[in-house]
């Protein structure tokens, strides 16, 4: 038997700007770092909030609240087309003690990625801002 913690974060990339969808304020500037010091976990987002969660219901409530902050726009093909890329990350830390008395820390990470809508500009009727977002 062991102890575990679950943390979640929600990052949005819109027009090359990063936004923390869990943050109450947008005061902290987010930066992507290639962090070699994190036991070779690689890329990290500096100043991204992580919320500790205790239940699946709490995770869903946090996701719904964050999704309401996402950049969406209406096109002919989709009333609420996502205009941004988003990454929802759930990280589980589990601490166990082996039969020999050695402490082990196991880490699991799940990334759910939603890429921005890429409707055909002609068929979607995208103009101005929506057309620029589509490329």
């Amino acid at each position: 038997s062991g102890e575990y913690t679950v943390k979640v974060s929600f990052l949005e990339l819109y027009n090359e700007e990063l936004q923390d969808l869990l943050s109450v304020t947008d005061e902290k500037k987010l930066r992507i770092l290639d962090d070699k010091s994190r036991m070779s976990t690689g890329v990290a987002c500096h100043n991204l909030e992580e919320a500790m969660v205790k239940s699946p219901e709490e995770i869903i409530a946090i996701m719904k609240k964050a999704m309401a902050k996402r950049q969406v726009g209406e096109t002919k093909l989709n009333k609420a087309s996502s205009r941004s890329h988003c990454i929802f990350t759930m990280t589980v830390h589990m601490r166990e003690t082996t039969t020999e008395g050695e402490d082990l820390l196991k880490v699991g990470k799940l990334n759910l990625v939603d890429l921005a809508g890429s409707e055909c500009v002609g068929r979607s009727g995208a103009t101005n801002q929506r057309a620029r977002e589509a490329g």
Side-chain angles (χ1 to χ4, degrees):
S1 132
E3 305 168 13
Y4 71 93
T5 58
V6 179
K7 294 180 182 179
V8 297
S9 64
F10 213 151
L11 176 67
E12 177 182 52
L13 174 62
Y14 175 68
N15 285 342
E16 299 186 29
E17 292 285 324
L18 297 171
Q19 181 180 350
D20 185 343
L21 294 177
L22 298 187
S23 178
V24 178
T25 67
D26 294 327
E27 294 173 10
K28 292 181 182 174
K29 183 81 173 151
L30 300 178
R31 291 191 342 246
I32 301 291
L33 304 171
D34 189 4
D35 193 349
K36 304 285 190 223
S37 67
R38 297 184 67 183
M39 296 186 290
S40 63
T41 57
V43 178
C45 186
H46 182 67
N47 284 332
L48 183 64
E49 283 191 26
E50 286 186 306
M52 186 94 66
V53 292
K54 301 277 187 206
S55 70
E57 295 79 19
E58 193 175 356
I59 293 169
I60 290 175
I62 286 172
M63 287 180 86
K64 284 181 179 178
K65 188 175 177 182
M67 291 294 285
K69 294 173 71 176
R70 280 201 66 187
Q71 299 292 327
V72 296
E74 186 172 344
T75 68
K76 287 181 183 176
L77 298 176
N78 188 346
K79 193 171 186 85
S81 178
S82 60
R83 307 319 308 159
S84 62
H85 304 306
C86 282
I87 304 170
F88 176 83
T89 302
M90 182 175 6
T91 307
V92 179
H93 289 87
M94 193 168 100
R95 184 177 308 277
E96 293 180 333
T97 304
T98 66
T99 54
E100 294 82 31
E102 181 182 1
D103 280 338
L104 293 177
L105 178 63
K106 297 178 181 178
V107 180
K109 191 173 278 201
L110 173 69
N111 291 299
L112 302 177
V113 179
D114 182 20
L115 300 178
S118 60
E119 298 92 351
C120 171
V121 173
R123 288 188 312 159
S124 70
T127 59
N128 301 323
Q129 179 67 24
R130 298 291 164 260
R132 282 192 297 280
E133 291 167 347

